[in-house]
Amino acid sequence: MISQEQGTSTLIGGAAGPGAALVGIDIGGTKIAALLVDGDGAVLGRGSVGAPAALGGAAMADAAATLAMSLAAEAGVSLAAAGVGAAGVIDHETGTIRAASATFVGWTGFALGHELESRLGVPVRVENDVNAFLLGEAAAEGRTDRDVLGVMLGTGVGGAVLIDGELHHGPHGAAGEIGHTPGYSDLVCTCGQIGHLETLASGTSIALRYQESTGAPVRDAREVADRARRGDTEAIAAFDAAGRALALACATAATILDLPCAIVGGGVTAAWDLLEPAIARTLATDSPVSGIPLRIIPAVLGSDAVALGAIETARRALVPAGAR
Ligand SMILES: [Zn+2]
C-alpha cells in the first residue's frame, strides 16, 4: 500500500518525479483496464480484469485499485496520481457517479473518486469514459486541434466536446451526448425516444437495420461489415445510413460550436472503409455553410484511448493550466 505521505511529497516535487507514475483506469461494464506510465508518458505496464459490475460500486473500486497497485508494484514505482474513465454521467469535480445504466449495480451515487483515493492514497480524477476517450485522442501524437467533437460508436453512441483544449462538461456533466439527438430516422432508440442518431449509427443498430431489411440474422455489425465487403447491397446500405447520420450530426455540432474536427472511435470504426464513402458524400452536400473545414477522422489509440485520456486528466490536475 502506498502511503499518503509518499503521494504528497511526490506532488510537491512535480507531476510525477523519478520513480513515480500515473495510472489511467478504464472502467467499463465487462472489463476494467489500466495503463501505467512514467512522468514522461512512457508505458510501464498494462493489465485488465473482469468488471464485477453486478456486485456494486465497492467491488468495482476494489478491483480497480487492486489492478492499479499491482501494476505499480510490478513496475517498482509509486503512484503520483490516478485518472479514471468510467461509464455513466460523472460529476468530474467530485468523482461521484450521477447516473448510470442498469448494468452497473449500485453505481449511481457512488463516490468513485473518494473511494479510490482512500484505497490508493493518491489524488484521483474521474471523467466520463467518452470524455476521457476524446481527451486521449486529442492529445495523441500529431494531433493539433484544440476544438474537437468526439463520437464513440459502440453498442450505443456516445459523444464529447473539447473546446480550446478543455473538456466542456455543461451544468449537468452531460454535454456532447450526440447519440441521443433526434431527427435521423423514425426508429425507436434504446432510450425509448424516436429517431436518435444511435438508431442508425451504433453497432447494435447497424446489425438490427440489416436484419430488418433482409430477414437474415447476424451476430453483430462486424458480420454486416464482412457481408458489405463481399458486395451485399443491404449491408452496404446499413453502413451508408450510419455514415450519413454520423456526418450530419458532426456537421450540426461543428456549425454550432465552430469545431473543425470530429474524432470517431469505438468498435464500429473497424469498418471505417464502409463508413467513409457516405461521410464524404454527406460532407460534400451538407458541410457547415460557415466555411468551417470540417474533418471527420477515425481514432488512432484503439482500446488505450480511455486510459490515456484518464491519465491526461490526472496529469492536468497536478500541473496548473499555465504550466502546460
Ligand atoms: Zn436515444
Side-chain angles (χ1 to χ4, degrees):
M1 187 69 189
I2 297 144
S3 75
Q4 185 66 52
E5 285 70 26
Q6 279 173 315
T8 305
S9 64
T10 306
L11 298 189
I12 292 164
L22 300 172
V23 66
I25 308 172
D26 176 2
I27 300 184
T30 58
K31 193 176 81 171
I32 298 173
L35 197 61
L36 183 74
V37 301
D38 69 13
D40 298 321
V43 175
L44 300 175
R46 64 173 71 227
S48 67
V49 293
L55 300 181
M60 293 283 267
D62 284 342
T66 301
L67 176 62
M69 287 189 290
S70 69
L71 288 178
E74 280 171 28
V77 294
S78 59
L79 290 177
V84 178
V89 178
I90 312 285
D91 183 334
H92 72 283
E93 298 285 353
T94 65
T96 297
I97 313 290
R98 281 183 168 163
S101 80
T103 315
F104 294 82
V105 174
W107 200 235
T108 300
F110 186 67
L112 180 62
H114 291 307
E115 292 289 336
L116 283 174
E117 282 184 348
S118 71
R119 284 164 174 77
L120 294 172
V122 297
V124 175
R125 299 290 296 181
V126 185
E127 268 294 349
N128 165 268
D129 53 0
V130 183
N131 283 355
F133 151 81
L134 176 57
L135 205 55
E137 284 287 339
E141 197 176 342
R143 302 264 206 230
T144 55
D145 288 289
R146 292 174 59 79
D147 298 273
V148 188
L149 173 71
V151 186
M152 189 77 106
L153 305 180
T155 52
V157 175
V161 179
L162 198 69
I163 294 176
D164 196 20
E166 302 287 344
L167 286 169
H168 179 68
H169 296 89
H172 309 94
E177 284 295 349
I178 203 163
H180 297 282
T181 53
Y184 298 93
S185 74
D186 54 7
L187 302 157
V188 180
C189 187
T190 54
C191 67
Q193 293 190 22
I194 306 291
H196 290 176
L197 173 62
E198 185 169 300
T199 64
L200 295 178
S202 73
T204 312
S205 294
I206 289 169
L208 274 176
R209 303 293 84 88
Y210 177 80
Q211 279 181 204
E212 287 165 0
S213 64
T214 62
V218 285
R219 280 191 314 278
D220 51 23
R222 185 177 306 186
E223 189 176 340
V224 182
D226 290 341
R227 291 182 182 216
R229 293 189 185 106
R230 291 198 298 266
D232 182 328
T233 54
E234 292 300 327
I236 291 168
F239 277 96
D240 269 354
R244 174 166 174 75
L246 170 68
L248 289 174
C250 291
T252 300
T255 302
I256 293 169
L257 294 169
D258 191 0
L259 306 173
C261 179
I263 299 176
V264 186
V268 176
T269 55
W272 192 255
D273 56 318
L274 298 168
L275 294 169
E276 199 169 26
I279 292 171
R281 281 198 304 276
T282 305
L283 285 182
T285 56
D286 294 276
S287 59
V289 292
S290 47
I292 300 162
L294 173 61
R295 290 169 293 120
I296 301 177
I297 56 178
V300 295
L301 298 176
S303 57
D304 282 346
V306 173
L308 286 169
I311 288 168
E312 180 65 13
T313 63
R315 195 184 66 79
R316 288 184 178 196
L318 296 180
V319 182
R324 305 204 282 263

